[in-house]
Amino acid sequence: MDDIKYIFVTGGVSSSLGKGIIAASLAKLLQARGFRVTIQKLDPYINIDPGTLNPYEHGECYVTEDGAETDLDLGHYERFLNSPTSQANNVTTGRIYQSVIEKERRGEFLGKTVQVVPHITNEIKERIQILGKTGDYDIVITEIGGTVGDIESLPYIEAVRQMKWELGDDNALVIHLTFVPYLSAAGELKTKPTQHSVKTLMESGIRADILVCRTEHELSDDLRKKLALFCNVKKEAVIQSIDASTIYDVPNMMLEEGLDTVTLKKLNLTATKEPDLTHWNEFLQRHKNPKAEVRIGLIGKYVELQDSYKSILEAFIHAGAENEVRVKLEFIHSEHINAKTIGAKLAKLDGILVAPGFGERGIEGKMAAVKYARTNNLPFLGICLGMQLAVIEFARNVLNLKDANSTELDPLTPDPVVNLMEEQKSITALGGTMRLGAWKCVLKKDSLAYKVYQSEEIEERHRHRFEFNNDYLEKFETHGMMASGVNPESKLVEIVEIPDHPWFMGVQYHPEYKSTVAQPHPLFVAFVKAVHEHAKTTKEIN
Ligand code: GLN
């Protein structure tokens, strides 16, 4: 326990400054120096997890191997570190209170009055140390969601104060991320909001050890001195985080600013080597120097907020770099696709991805996009709902089951080609009740899926309730849609493909969650390759 170092990342002045990326970048640098690092996110909202949140609220819900529905920052942690996170890596206020209240009901507090301090704060401290106590890590980085001064952040800040006091300055460190705005009228960067935010932190008994300052302009030496003096930190601990063209530049920028060296110094740690970012930089090199460009249409209903499809966008960045092509994603609102608009909307695309989703809105547009890809031999990838719609479209237009549907979209359909699993039928609660997390899938040897994965058995992460209805399987297979991946125990269909089509695949799971910089997902890599091939042939014809 004594050997484990805890780093806390708090935020001030404004939200959306990129705490998650700073935490992930520091973790990357420490990992690249040989330390075993993990990152945890504490979210100050009362939902038990973000699973029940509309994507417009907080963006995508990220799913871990163990089936936790979590904040999208965990996706960044995995993509940067290439190591899996788990339920323990994301804790919300709702979960903290639920656990304390359950303990109270079991009588575990022995008649005491249960209070925010010490009971809630103790629970927070315990949750922070769960990862440390596994023995798997040298350093645990805990990102505190929200902004200091928020009412709901207070118990977390108090827990951090106590942990710093208990563990000592060598074992716990606070990094405070703030914003240094540029006032164009004055032609100056302003430090006052940062000073106030550090003061707010101080009022809660926490002195920031390191300041990371988000800025649109370089911080001068004088400004760094001023920030150091007024915010009570060493000058070397004033770190500039200037806007980057890609989040994948941030580890190098932090390296240049010395964020890792000042962190190690404060924690009294000696690194045995300089950070090895060779592989990372090779990826960056490929990402920034593409040899061609392809256009992929992302058909979804949350396209106004790109964070809703965060992992998909990042998976395309990894796969694009692997193929040395730039993937230009065209976000197409499924509600805007109809018989009249479809030609104009989809004509210039080299490939189509139909996104995951829930509920009826925009379904017909997505279905039209599937049909367009199928009948025009355009490379197609359907993810989760996208796969289910590929199945429904095939049933309607190839099997001639005109009213085929999913029971999610039409409970009374005569042909429920996608329906609820038996064990889901009695469930009425919405939170945490889906088929979640990693499940095995066995691939058919003579399939596109096998070619893509080069393996007979894979494991992919799920987040859905509805499934391909196996009563129809034979009919689909005799008419040209093949179930190329199946769960070995339940026999649930995980992958469908059309062997007569150049590249058409629907997957019931979410491959995007497993794509990382170090290991771009093979399905995205193969899809982008197929899209590129298609683009080359159509350009020749034209
Ligand atoms: N709504 C569908 C289901 O619950 C698909 C979910 C998804 O796309 N993640 O099965």
Side-chain angles (χ1 to χ4, degrees):
M1 160 87 196
D2 278 354
D3 297 324
I4 296 149
K5 308 284 182 177
Y6 290 91
I7 299 175
F8 301 98
V9 182
T10 57
V13 182
S14 159
S15 57
S16 306
L17 293 180
K19 270 193 306 251
I21 300 298
I22 293 296
S25 298
L26 174 60
K28 181 78 225 166
L29 295 178
L30 297 172
Q31 183 194 55
R33 282 181 181 272
F35 293 102
R36 297 169 309 154
V37 193
T38 190
I39 322 176
Q40 176 190 46
K41 171 96 191 264
L42 304 182
D43 274 312
Y45 51 70
I46 304 201
N47 304 62
I48 299 288
D49 60 44
T52 52
L53 289 176
N54 184 322
Y56 289 126
E57 291 280 319
H58 277 273
E60 153 189 291
C61 170
Y62 185 78
V63 180
T64 59
E65 285 290 288
D66 65 345
E69 294 177 280
T70 72
D71 185 79
L72 59 73
D73 270 336
L74 272 78
H76 291 309
Y77 307 161
E78 289 203 10
R79 288 187 281 274
F80 274 53
L81 297 182
N82 193 38
S83 63
T85 54
S86 69
Q87 182 66 72
N89 294 74
N90 192 197
V91 179
T92 69
T93 295
R95 203 173 278 281
I96 300 276
Y97 271 82
Q98 187 186 45
S99 154
V100 170
I101 291 168
E102 279 168 4
K103 285 182 188 165
E104 186 274 334
R105 291 289 82 182
R106 288 197 299 269
E108 285 181 30
F109 296 115
L110 306 174
K112 289 268 180 224
T113 309
V114 181
Q115 294 176 296
V116 173
V117 182
H119 301 99
I120 295 296
T121 45
N122 281 349
E123 183 75 25
I124 294 172
K125 281 157 62 184
E126 246 169 62
R127 298 282 178 147
I128 292 171
Q129 288 170 97
I130 281 178
L131 288 163
K133 285 179 181 159
T134 58
D136 296 338
Y137 306 105
D138 308 310
I139 302 169
V140 177
I141 301 181
T142 301
E143 178 193 345
I144 316 279
T147 310
V148 294
D150 293 350
I151 291 174
E152 49 270 295
S153 299
L154 285 174
Y156 293 100
I157 299 294
E158 169 59 12
V160 172
R161 186 196 66 76
Q162 291 183 15
M163 277 189 72
K164 239 193 138 195
W165 185 83
E166 285 163 3
L167 297 169
D169 281 348
D170 280 1
N171 295 320
L173 172 110
V174 173
I175 299 177
H176 190 56
L177 176 65
T178 74
F179 180 48
V180 179
Y182 180 75
L183 279 196
S184 46
E188 265 182 344
L189 286 167
K190 290 294 181 189
T191 63
K192 196 71 84 185
T194 299
Q195 295 179 40
H196 279 293
S197 157
V198 168
K199 209 185 258 175
T200 308
L201 203 54
M202 207 95 91
E203 279 164 14
S204 304
I206 297 179
R207 191 171 63 79
D209 296 292
I210 299 175
L211 277 188
V212 177
C213 305
R214 260 312 280 277
T215 171
E216 289 167 10
H217 297 270
E218 296 278 337
L219 302 184
S220 67
D221 207 49
D222 280 349
L223 202 111
R224 287 177 193 245
K225 272 189 204 146
K226 184 175 171 185
L227 278 166
L229 179 66
F230 292 149
C231 299
N232 212 10
V233 297
K234 294 246 162 63
K235 191 174 150 252
E236 64 186 21
V238 176
I239 305 288
Q240 156 186 298
S241 169
I242 203 159
D243 290 358
S245 61
T246 155
I247 54 168
Y248 298 107
D249 271 340
V250 181
N252 281 312
M253 288 162 55
M254 290 303 110
L255 179 65
E256 226 165 87
E257 284 284 312
L259 177 60
D260 58 330
T261 38
V262 68
T263 299
L264 293 177
K265 200 166 143 192
K266 290 212 174 279
L267 289 174
N268 219 357
L269 282 171
T270 13
T272 50
K273 57 172 186 170
E274 287 300 305
D276 179 3
L277 292 174
T278 318
H279 188 278
W280 185 272
N281 288 333
E282 282 166 7
F283 152 78
L284 267 180
Q285 189 62 19
R286 283 193 301 272
H287 171 53
K288 290 186 174 176
N289 299 290
K291 299 200 170 105
E293 180 176 285
V294 295
R295 284 167 169 239
I296 297 179
L298 190 154
I299 322 290
K301 66 171 174 176
Y302 308 113
V303 290
E304 303 89 335
L305 182 72
Q306 299 200 353
D307 271 1
S308 308
Y309 301 113
K310 195 77 200 162
S311 294
I312 294 179
L313 310 197
E314 300 303 328
F316 274 123
I317 290 178
H318 309 153
E322 193 69 12
N323 282 286
E324 295 184 274
V325 301
R326 184 169 117 83
V327 177
K328 195 162 181 297
L329 280 181
E330 306 262 339
F331 292 88
I332 301 172
H333 202 303
S334 47
E335 282 182 304
H336 300 164
I337 301 176
N338 54 44
K340 263 196 213 146
T341 60
I342 191 155
K345 291 246 175 242
L346 308 184
K348 291 207 178 93
L349 300 175
D350 305 312
I352 285 182
L353 179 136
V354 174
F358 294 83
E360 256 172 288
R361 190 163 67 92
I363 288 297
E364 291 306 320
K366 284 186 175 178
M367 205 99 80
V370 175
K371 184 175 179 192
Y372 184 92
R374 183 176 62 77
T375 52
N376 288 287
N377 282 339
L378 206 55
F380 170 85
L381 178 59
I383 298 182
C384 209
L385 180 66
M387 172 266 197
Q388 297 171 355
L389 295 178
V391 166
I392 298 166
E393 191 280 325
F394 197 85
R396 288 187 189 174
N397 299 321
V398 180
L399 307 185
N400 238 337
L401 305 171
K402 290 291 170 220
D403 295 311
N405 216 327
S406 157
T407 49
E408 177 185 13
L409 310 167
D410 174 9
L412 300 175
T413 170
D415 288 299
V417 289
V418 175
N419 70 357
L420 215 49
M421 282 183 297
E422 254 342 285
E423 51 272 40
Q424 284 282 346
K425 286 187 179 157
S426 55
I427 296 174
T428 48
L430 288 185
T433 55
M434 281 186 255
R435 183 173 169 219
L436 289 163
W439 293 83
K440 281 200 176 98
C441 169
V442 172
L443 306 182
K444 277 197 190 138
K445 272 229 151 157
D446 56 346
S447 64
L448 174 61
Y450 183 81
K451 237 202 227 149
V452 167
Y453 281 95
Q454 296 290 316
S455 166
E456 249 172 277
E457 195 177 275
I458 57 165
E459 258 188 44
E460 291 281 7
R461 301 183 199 173
H462 291 245
R463 182 170 185 257
H464 59 103
R465 287 195 175 81
F466 294 83
E467 304 281 351
F468 182 94
N469 182 347
N470 272 329
D471 293 347
Y472 290 85
L473 181 57
E474 210 185 309
K475 214 166 184 183
F476 273 89
E477 299 216 296
T478 50
H479 285 81
M481 181 175 264
M482 156 189 185
S484 55
V486 172
N487 179 294
E489 281 104 42
S490 61
K491 305 292 171 215
L492 290 169
V493 172
E494 310 283 32
I495 309 175
V496 294
E497 54 188 76
I498 299 177
D500 279 345
H501 187 285
W503 211 99
F504 188 104
M505 210 189 268
V507 292
Q508 185 57 84
Y509 50 81
H510 291 262
E512 68 274 21
Y513 294 143
K514 279 178 79 163
S515 189
T516 69
V517 168
Q519 283 178 306
H521 196 285
L523 195 49
F524 279 88
V525 174
F527 179 51
V528 171
K529 186 163 183 265
V531 170
H532 187 204
E533 293 299 320
H534 178 85
K536 281 195 278 192
T537 52
T538 46
K539 269 165 207 152
E540 265 167 34
I541 293 163
N542 293 336

